[in-house]
Amino acid sequence: MIKVIPLLVTLVFTLTTSAQKNTQAYIVKTNSLKVKKVIETFFEGLHKGDSIIVSTTLHRDIKIQTTSTNKLGENTLTTDTKEKLLTSVANKKPEHIYFEKLLSFDIKIDGNLASVWTPYEFYLNGNFSHCGANSFQLFNNNGKWEIIFLVDMRRRDNCNALKEKK
């Protein structure tokens, strides 16, 4: 009987630990899906030119930046406001068809902070325009994931879409 007690304690500890790991994995997977949905919703609004949809994904204090290389070969960093982003989305001309093809999602989450890396190709009216990567930082605002920082990098060289055309 004395040998059974340590065995039972070990079994209960193992089952508890396993249940906690399964619960944690479920939480991470669920949050990853929620974060991915926010990014997909952001691009749905961008493609439609619907600033209301885009605004539902953004935190009130979002920071927005773009990096690129100018014609002189100098690296540049531009900062925009939430209002400017939403205005440019709302002013999208109906004849312009935007399509930002996300090539992958790399999602990392720790507590209420998520980081998402999305390489992309951008097409305007079906024609390749540029490629690059987006880096999103999201905050779980008491149950709602919101984009708090967005930086995108744009370039026209070393893009797979250009290589495929040749």
Side-chain angles (χ1 to χ4, degrees):
M1 181 68 176
I2 293 175
K3 292 182 180 181
V4 173
I5 291 174
L7 180 61
L8 288 175
V9 169
T10 302
L11 180 62
V12 168
F13 178 74
T14 302
L15 290 174
T16 302
T17 302
S18 177
Q20 288 173 344
K21 285 181 183 175
N22 288 340
T23 301
Q24 189 64 19
Y26 174 77
I27 291 169
V28 169
K29 183 172 177 88
T30 301
N31 276 324
S32 290
L33 291 172
K34 289 177 180 178
V35 165
K36 185 177 181 184
K37 179 64 177 161
V38 170
I39 304 303
E40 291 171 338
T41 301
F42 173 87
F43 284 107
E44 173 191 345
L46 177 72
H47 296 155
K48 289 180 177 179
D50 190 328
S51 61
I52 294 171
I53 292 174
V54 172
S55 69
T56 66
T57 67
L58 308 177
H59 187 271
R60 69 180 177 273
D61 297 323
I62 186 172
K63 184 167 187 175
I64 303 163
Q65 295 183 306
T66 299
T67 68
S68 62
T69 304
N70 66 21
K71 293 178 181 180
L72 299 174
E74 301 166 330
N75 294 334
T76 64
L77 179 66
T78 305
T79 301
D80 285 317
T81 65
K82 177 180 178 180
E83 293 72 28
K84 184 175 178 185
L85 170 67
L86 294 175
T87 299
S88 68
V89 170
N91 289 335
K92 176 185 164 294
K93 295 180 181 177
E95 64 271 16
H96 288 171
I97 300 169
Y98 297 165
F99 178 60
E100 188 153 332
K101 178 181 176 184
L102 301 180
L103 304 176
S104 66
F105 283 82
D106 184 11
I107 301 171
K108 306 286 185 203
I109 299 174
D110 188 0
N112 64 8
L113 176 67
S115 177
V116 183
W117 183 265
T118 59
Y120 71 88
E121 296 170 347
F122 187 84
Y123 296 84
L124 176 60
N125 298 330
N127 297 312
F128 175 78
S129 172
H130 60 275
C131 68
N134 301 304
S135 176
F136 294 91
Q137 304 300 309
L138 292 90
F139 165 66
N140 187 330
N141 194 358
N142 298 300
K144 181 183 179 204
W145 286 100
E146 297 174 326
I147 302 168
I148 58 172
F149 186 73
L150 165 59
V151 60
D152 72 296
M153 186 273 303
R154 300 175 189 175
R155 69 175 185 275
R156 293 195 46 79
D157 58 342
N158 297 319
C159 299
N160 286 336
L162 290 175
K163 291 176 190 172
E164 291 169 7
K165 280 186 156 185
K166 293 179 180 180

